Amino acid sequence: MAKENNVTVLIITGLFQDPEVQKVCFVLFLPVYLATVLGNGLIVVTVTISKSLRSPMYFFLSFLSLVEICYSSTVVPKFLTDLLSKIKTISLRGCLAQIFFFHFFGVTEILLLTVMAYDRYVAICKPLYYTTIMSRPVCHYLVAGSWLGGFFHSIIQIFITIPLPFCGPNVIDHYFCDLHPLFKLACTDTFVVGIIMFVNSGLFSVFSFLFLVSSYVVILVSLRHHSAEGRRKALSTCASHVMVVILFFGPAIFLYLRPASTYTEDKLVAVFYTVITPMLNPIIYTLRNAEVKNAMRKLWGKKVNSEME
């Protein structure tokens, strides 16, 4: 007989068990989340309004920042409210929804980072054809493809998870819903779905990372034929992107290419890429990019002056 799905509500163990430590975490992580939303939102608004940031690189950057806001918002608000709750619960449907959007925005970000690497490759290695190759319609297609890729990836994750029976226990050992801890609650063998998840998440992340690394190796090789000033500008632009790639892919590959575990270290690594990294991205891009900083000064300087008049 098929096992019945008796579980409708899941209990989340959270990051730490000590109530005082949870309150400290709330005080620490709330400003981080607000900074993530405000920082990335500032980049989206600045790129959208500023006439000096019309190149494809900034077009992709604005969408990356938008995805960062969405990606962080699928986990952090619930995580913050749970830090102040004695009993942390989520419905099974809510858990599946969180998994869907978490992977949707996560893979969309991976694909956008890949698109941005391609943009830098064309700009540096084929500068004479840059405006033709990276035309506005092409940029829109690449962004749309990134969103569609994230959607199809996430749909696969949900389709392999929905048929699983959950008949108890209902305690998920994490601070948000993800596939590894949820599979442990299934009342059936999850070896096959685990392999699918490994290919769909783990190997996808690895191959995307290798593609990004390869693209930057090609860029570095091609920079040998540029002037010293050209190399400096190109390396400065690419350095920000490389830092974001490492910060995002490092923890993701660490978690999804390993067997499922219940170590607190895994949760702390997850905190890094769900809470910390989305906040760092706008800082990395703005601090290392003079054009973005100048556009922000001009844009927001005008707004301040107009309000004072």
Side-chain angles (χ1 to χ4, degrees):
M1 291 180 61
K3 295 179 181 178
E4 295 183 3
N5 196 347
N6 299 324
V7 173
T8 57
V9 177
L10 299 171
I11 298 174
I12 300 173
T13 59
L15 187 60
F16 298 108
Q17 303 302 314
D18 190 329
E20 295 302 318
V21 175
Q22 292 185 47
K23 291 177 182 177
V24 172
C25 289
F26 178 84
V27 173
L28 291 175
F29 292 143
L30 177 60
V32 171
Y33 176 65
L34 294 177
T36 298
V37 175
L38 293 175
N40 285 289
L42 181 61
I43 289 179
V44 172
V45 173
T46 301
V47 172
T48 302
I49 297 177
S50 178
K51 295 180 180 179
S52 63
L53 302 178
R54 295 301 183 193
S55 69
M57 180 176 70
Y58 299 115
F59 176 74
F60 297 136
L61 176 59
S62 66
F63 276 97
L64 180 68
S65 295
L66 177 62
V67 170
E68 289 284 23
I69 295 172
C70 299
Y71 173 74
S72 182
S73 296
T74 61
V75 172
V76 182
K78 175 75 168 90
F79 171 48
L80 290 173
T81 56
D82 283 345
L83 287 172
L84 301 179
S85 305
K86 290 184 178 180
I87 301 177
K88 307 166 182 59
T89 61
I90 187 171
S91 67
L92 181 59
R93 290 184 178 180
C95 183
L96 292 173
Q98 189 176 60
I99 290 173
F100 173 82
F101 287 108
F102 178 69
H103 284 267
F104 172 39
F105 294 121
V107 171
T108 301
E109 179 171 351
I110 289 175
L111 294 175
L112 279 174
L113 288 171
T114 305
V115 167
M116 292 174 75
Y118 175 70
D119 171 69
R120 291 300 84 205
Y121 163 77
V122 176
I124 294 170
C125 300
K126 299 183 179 181
L128 297 178
Y129 302 99
Y130 180 70
T131 54
T132 303
I133 297 174
M134 301 303 295
S135 63
R136 185 59 62 169
V138 170
C139 292
H140 283 101
Y141 290 141
L142 289 172
V143 169
S146 299
W147 286 92
L148 284 174
F151 176 79
F152 285 121
H153 163 87
S154 200
I155 279 292
I156 292 173
Q157 306 287 53
I158 294 301
F159 278 170
I160 66 173
T161 306
I162 287 178
L164 295 177
F166 296 96
C167 49
N170 67 333
V171 179
I172 189 165
D173 187 22
H174 216 308
Y175 66 90
F176 71 99
C177 282
D178 203 3
L179 295 170
H180 269 319
L182 185 62
F183 284 171
K184 291 181 180 180
L185 305 184
C187 304
T188 186
D189 182 27
T190 59
F191 178 77
V192 175
V193 293
I195 293 296
I196 297 173
M197 187 208 70
F198 172 79
V199 173
N200 200 28
S201 293
L203 292 184
F204 176 81
S205 298
V206 170
F207 287 135
S208 299
F209 181 71
L210 291 176
F211 174 83
L212 287 166
V213 170
S214 301
S215 68
Y216 280 105
V217 169
V218 173
I219 289 173
L220 288 173
V221 172
S222 68
L223 284 176
R224 294 182 302 173
H225 306 293
H226 288 63
S227 64
E229 180 64 18
R231 285 197 298 269
R232 187 191 64 79
K233 289 183 178 180
L235 288 173
S236 178
T237 301
C238 294
S240 300
H241 192 218
V242 171
M243 289 173 66
V244 171
V245 167
I246 293 173
L247 287 171
F248 183 83
F249 278 92
I253 292 174
F254 172 79
L255 288 181
Y256 288 104
L257 282 182
R258 296 167 61 243
S261 62
T262 58
Y263 299 134
T264 303
E265 289 82 356
D266 283 9
K267 297 181 185 179
L268 295 176
V269 171
V271 166
F272 187 80
Y273 72 80
T274 58
V275 183
I276 307 298
T277 300
M279 179 196 69
L280 294 177
N281 288 356
I283 296 174
I284 292 170
Y285 278 111
T286 53
L287 287 181
R288 297 188 61 87
N289 194 300
E291 285 186 273
V292 175
K293 288 190 287 187
N294 291 334
M296 285 184 176
R297 290 193 194 101
K298 292 178 182 179
L299 178 63
W300 301 105
K302 288 180 181 178
K303 287 187 174 292
V304 172
N305 292 334
S306 62
E307 290 176 359
M308 292 177 63
E309 293 176 356

